[in-house]
Amino acid sequence: MARKRKGRDISGWLVVDKPAGLTSTAVVNKVRWALDAKKAGHAGTLDPEATGVLAVALGEATKTVPYITDALKAYRFTVRFGQATNTDDAEGEVIATSDLRPTDDDIKEALHGFVGDIMQVPPQFSAVKIDGERAYKRARDGEEMDIAARPLWVEELVLTDRPDADTAELEMICGKGGYVRSIARDLGKMLGCHGHVLRLRRVWSGPFEAHNGLTLEAIEQMARTPELDDHILPLELGLTDLPELHCTAQGAARLRNGNPGMVIPGNVEYGDEAWVSFEGRPLAVGRYKAGELHPSRVFNLTD
């Protein structure tokens, strides 16, 4: 018999302004401990040295993680020109150098090639799986892999500052699966001078913003207190990009059991994905068909 997981049944989101030097998993574990939460996960990994918004899902909110993972995200980052590293960031070993430095106009012109639907090769040190094993594990053993390019939607990529000839500060808005380190690497290649990420910060992810996030120090100070609970955001924030429908008591009873339930017509069409609430509480996510929602996820919220 499986051991019952300890902790409180709490559901919602806690937004953390992640510090550099910690993995995303370590941050989630700290939040789970601080809230004595039974279940927690995050929506989108940040590299250990990256900072910024890490949205931690608690309890039933973990069922909405895919919708935040798929949402647009914004990054601010600094590219260091003249050096390529094996990790495509400042933590790695320098593997190539160049004395060439691009002008501002060179950078702005090159950035046009990284906007829209692009194909991107993840870094050698990344969590993508190659033959069932994480790429970074094989890279640590000195193996150089042929990683296939993957599609990425980049909505915006702009030069925001040029502190000196060696560095440039950029802002990017992109979809799911983007590697900022790959952008820096490929930009350096396009400009003929090499490049890697010096600093990286995720400023927002879907509806969650870094400036509204709690620091780990604040979380530790408020740990196991009602004050920290007050910072938990509603589960339905993870469903911001989906239309909301409402249902009757009869429809709610059917949906709670995982069956299609009648909903009040709204701004959706046949086959659209939507979420349903009853008496102000999220109930389920599913597909709207002929006046009913066919649930794919049902929220088992406790009072």
Side-chain angles (χ1 to χ4, degrees), residues 51-113:
T51 67
V53 60
L54 186 72
V56 178
L58 305 162
E60 292 295 284
T62 57
K63 296 177 180 177
T64 71
V65 161
Y67 302 102
I68 298 300
T69 303
D70 290 345
L72 290 175
K73 301 163 184 65
Y75 298 90
R76 291 177 187 155
F77 59 104
T78 302
V79 177
R80 167 66 158 89
F81 295 118
Q83 295 179 344
T85 70
N86 62 342
T87 59
D88 300 318
D89 63 15
E91 298 303 300
E93 175 188 347
V94 175
I95 55 176
T97 62
S98 171
D99 292 330
L100 180 67
R101 295 295 182 269
T103 66
D104 290 10
D105 287 341
D106 290 336
I107 297 170
K108 291 175 183 177
E109 181 62 29
L111 292 179
H112 293 308

Side-chain angles (χ1 to χ4, degrees), residues 169-192:
E169 295 183 1
L170 307 177
E171 288 191 6
M172 179 173 73
I173 299 174
C174 68
K176 177 183 179 181
Y179 283 94
V180 175
R181 287 180 290 142
S182 292
I183 295 289
R185 176 199 67 206
D186 295 343
L187 178 62
K189 287 181 180 179
M190 183 176 289
L191 293 167

